[in-house]
Amino acid sequence: MMNGQCLAAEKTNKDLVNPFVHHLELTTTYEKIKAGILTVVVLPVRLLVIVCLLVLAWLLACVGLMGLSEADLQERPLTPWRRTVRGVSGVVLRCMMFFWGFHWVHVTGRKASRYCAPLIAVAPHSSFFDILAVLIIGDCSVVTRTENLDVPIVGKLINFTQPVYVWRDDPNSRQRTIKQIIDRATSSLDWSQVLIFPEGTCTNRSCLITFKPGAFYPGVPVQPVILRYPNKLDTVTWTWEGPGVLKLMWLTLVQPHSNCEIEFLPVYRPSEAERRDPKLYAENVRQLMARALGVPTLDYTYDDCQLVAKSNLLHIPRSCPALNIYKLRIRLGLVRNQREEKLVREQPELLCSKAEVGVTCEQLAALLGVPTDSTLQELFSLLQPDCSGRVDLGCYLTSVLMVDRTHSGAHMWETAFHLWGDRGRLSPQQLAALLRLTQQLPTERSIDVPTDQDGVISYSNFESFMKMRPEMEWGNNNNARPKVD
């Protein structure tokens, strides 16, 4: 079993590997006593040296970047003297990792030159400590999300590698990123090799999730590099569900030493079919690396990480239609541009309009400003309780905003009611439709929540109903289910 492997909490016909969960606790008395002693004796010394070395590396990066604009960094490689400074900065950072406890990094295989492999694909990506791969490989440019550049000190060090930027939440940036990778990989200039973590997010190394195909578009040879952390106590894995950065740093600092293995696999040269199909190229490289690691491949993506986070935040089932709609909206760029939020703000009457007849798929596409493609059609089918070919626009907008705007299950329902302005009320049918989307309930005509004289449900009545049903644990339990008549 790979270090960090974990079983998913959900049960189906067989246990599933969940790559986004990591549990880390000091379970034995010996581990707790050792951690306590080293926290007092070793951690302060290590931390002081690490900070000094990090600042020194940052100062070197400042010198190396002096006089260069962002445009300069993207248009041409660094001059020899700047590369020398970058190399020295890398040595300083490697010394820093020594004091983190990574005294020895076991390296097997040989790194290929840029002319043999312009791209380097590193997996599995499981930790910020994966910087070890960047330091061991040496002269390389990383593909990184733009948010990392805002991190104090670290952002400057990343910028010194002349990175390829990724705007995760901007679907229009995808083509720019791909073009930049192609230009770097095929350029006659002496660019550094481009290093990618093709999974795009951290996992617990129990499997290899879907490789993003963007880096494989150039169709040039790639050298796969695999990472292992064969430690008894896994203090490096950083996933969506698990210990935070400070806990991981602390527990790593109080280990006598930590092990890391880096294996360079032979250069992979794509076939003609793989050059024509980047997704096929990425998948074949993933299968090769999975076999070398001895782990399975699972078709999870970064979007699934966002769904896990949203599900945990709102305490709703991960398989409910509302979260599947959220995932499809990510693909369509609606989460990023907040299209539905703008529609409701500028045309609040849309929440109530067309509720009787609904809207067609084409009308929904026009309102959202997206093409009528397979992704929108899949979203449209999730919204349909029947095969009428129309959906309730108000129900759709309400379900979207109650998921997007809120940070807890209880607040989610308060938002749903208050979206309807001064009315602040829902019909039993509308409430049942929202429950279908968020709680996977079958759509029925009414539920046993008290209604007002005009037959609608106010939030105060709904809140009272929730309090009268404490066993349902509204907003606190994925299995909460109100009764539908």
Side-chain angles (χ1 to χ4, degrees):
M1 180 181 294
M2 287 293 296
N3 190 12
Q5 183 165 327
C6 175
L7 296 180
E10 298 89 347
K11 298 293 181 180
T12 59
N13 56 346
K14 62 179 181 179
D15 288 335
L16 298 176
V17 172
N18 186 340
F20 305 125
V21 175
H22 176 56
H23 300 292
L24 175 60
E25 297 295 339
L26 300 178
T27 55
T28 67
T29 303
Y30 168 73
E31 289 175 340
K32 294 175 181 178
I33 293 174
K34 181 181 71 173
I37 294 174
L38 294 180
T39 297
V40 175
V41 177
V42 175
L43 186 145
V45 177
R46 281 186 171 181
L47 201 55
L48 178 62
V49 175
I50 286 170
V51 170
C52 292
L53 291 173
L54 184 61
V55 171
L56 176 58
W58 174 76
L59 289 173
L60 288 169
C62 290
V63 171
L65 291 171
M66 188 169 51
L68 292 180
S69 66
E70 289 297 325
D72 293 333
L73 285 173
Q74 298 303 310
E75 291 173 1
R76 57 180 179 272
L78 295 177
T79 55
W81 78 265
R82 295 183 192 273
R83 282 196 172 185
T84 300
V85 174
R86 186 169 68 181
V88 175
S89 177
V91 172
V92 172
L93 290 174
R94 180 64 189 93
C95 292
M96 182 192 75
M97 296 307 295
F98 179 90
F99 283 93
W100 272 109
F102 294 94
H103 301 156
W104 301 276
V105 177
H106 184 62
V107 180
T108 56
R110 296 183 62 182
K111 174 192 171 186
S113 69
R114 175 184 179 273
Y115 301 100
C116 294
L119 294 177
I120 298 175
V122 182
H125 184 26
S126 62
S127 175
F128 42 83
F129 288 117
D130 291 348
I131 187 181
L132 279 165
V134 179
L135 298 175
I136 294 299
I137 290 170
D139 188 20
C140 61
S141 298
V142 298
V143 178
T144 184
R145 56 187 183 135
T146 53
E147 295 90 336
N148 290 336
L149 302 180
D150 296 327
V151 179
I153 298 181
V154 174
K156 180 74 71 174
L157 294 171
I158 292 174
N159 214 26
F160 202 17
T161 72
Q162 294 189 288
V164 175
Y165 302 119
V166 175
W167 289 264
R168 271 180 169 173
D169 296 326
D170 182 4
N172 297 323
S173 78
R174 179 173 175 270
Q175 295 304 321
R176 294 200 303 270
T177 302
I178 291 172
K179 182 180 182 302
Q180 193 172 7
I181 292 175
I182 292 174
D183 291 344
R184 294 273 187 100
T186 58
S187 175
S188 59
L189 298 176
D190 188 25
W191 284 101
S192 302
Q193 288 170 291
V194 177
L195 184 147
I196 60 172
F197 291 96
E199 293 173 295
T201 192
C202 290
T203 70
N204 58 22
R205 301 190 301 282
S206 59
C207 65
L208 288 185
I209 63 173
T210 302
F211 278 13
K212 292 181 177 293
F216 297 90
Y217 271 86
V220 297
V222 60
Q223 182 168 32
V225 177
I226 56 180
L227 289 175
R228 300 183 181 91
Y229 293 94
N231 299 298
K232 182 179 179 181
L233 184 66
D234 184 359
T235 64
V236 302
T237 300
W238 185 37
T239 57
W240 284 73
E241 292 183 47
V245 173
L246 294 179
K247 183 175 181 179
L248 292 173
M249 287 183 172
W250 165 55
L251 288 177
T252 302
L253 282 169
V254 298
Q255 301 305 307
H257 68 274
S258 297
N259 297 309
C260 177
E261 296 179 357
I262 300 176
E263 181 179 354
F264 290 89
L265 299 180
V267 174
Y268 188 101
R269 293 176 173 81
S271 65
E272 186 60 36
E274 290 169 331
R275 281 193 289 269
R276 291 195 303 266
D277 186 352
K279 291 184 178 179
L280 175 64
Y281 188 7
E283 176 59 21
N284 289 343
V285 172
R286 179 171 74 135
Q287 294 295 339
L288 172 71
M289 298 177 76
R291 286 194 296 271
L293 286 162
V295 299
T297 58
L298 292 179
D299 293 330
Y300 289 115
T301 65
Y302 173 71
D303 292 350
D304 293 299
C305 294
Q306 292 179 288
L307 294 186
V308 168
K310 183 64 71 172
S311 171
N312 291 339
L313 193 66
L314 301 181
H315 302 287
I316 57 180
R318 293 178 188 173
S319 57
C320 71
L323 285 185
N324 288 323
I325 289 170
Y326 186 80
K327 182 176 182 178
L328 295 172
R329 290 177 58 242
I330 293 173
R331 294 183 191 172
L332 292 168
L334 296 171
V335 172
R336 177 191 58 81
N337 62 28
Q338 298 181 319
R339 175 64 177 173
E340 295 94 344
E341 180 94 25
K342 293 174 184 175
L343 280 174
V344 172
R345 185 169 61 249
E346 296 169 3
Q347 305 177 59
E349 68 277 4
L350 288 177
L351 281 171
C352 306
S353 67
K354 302 184 181 180
E356 295 295 327
V357 296
V359 294
T360 65
C361 188
E362 291 73 17
Q363 290 172 325
L364 183 63
L367 282 167
L368 299 179
V370 297
T372 311
D373 57 11
S374 59
T375 302
L376 181 70
Q377 290 169 359
E378 187 178 349
L379 183 150
F380 190 82
S381 66
L382 286 172
L383 293 167
Q384 288 189 97
D386 49 40
C387 299
S388 64
R390 293 178 178 272
V391 298
D392 185 333
L393 180 61
C395 180
Y396 167 69
L397 293 174
T398 302
S399 66
V400 165
L401 297 183
M402 67 189 285
V403 169
D404 276 5
R405 285 183 176 182
T406 56
H407 302 285
S408 70
H411 185 219
M412 179 178 71
W413 286 107
E414 182 180 0
T415 299
F417 278 86
H418 290 173
L419 278 170
W420 293 77
D422 294 335
R423 229 178 72 176
R425 297 178 295 176
L426 295 172
S427 71
Q429 293 84 359
Q430 289 166 333
L431 182 55
L434 293 175
L435 289 170
R436 178 183 72 84
L437 294 176
T438 59
Q439 301 293 333
Q440 295 180 293
L441 290 178
T443 301
E444 300 291 346
R445 298 303 297 173
S446 62
I447 63 173
D448 62 344
V449 180
T451 60
D452 294 340
Q453 291 182 349
D454 52 1
V456 294
I457 302 169
S458 65
Y459 180 69
S460 59
N461 283 346
F462 184 67
E463 187 177 33
S464 299
F465 172 78
M466 289 192 292
K467 291 178 180 178
M468 292 168 57
R469 304 292 192 279
E471 72 279 1
M472 294 182 180
E473 298 182 291
W474 289 85
N476 296 307
N477 191 311
N478 282 358
N479 297 318
R481 292 289 188 274
K483 178 184 176 182
V484 178
D485 293 334

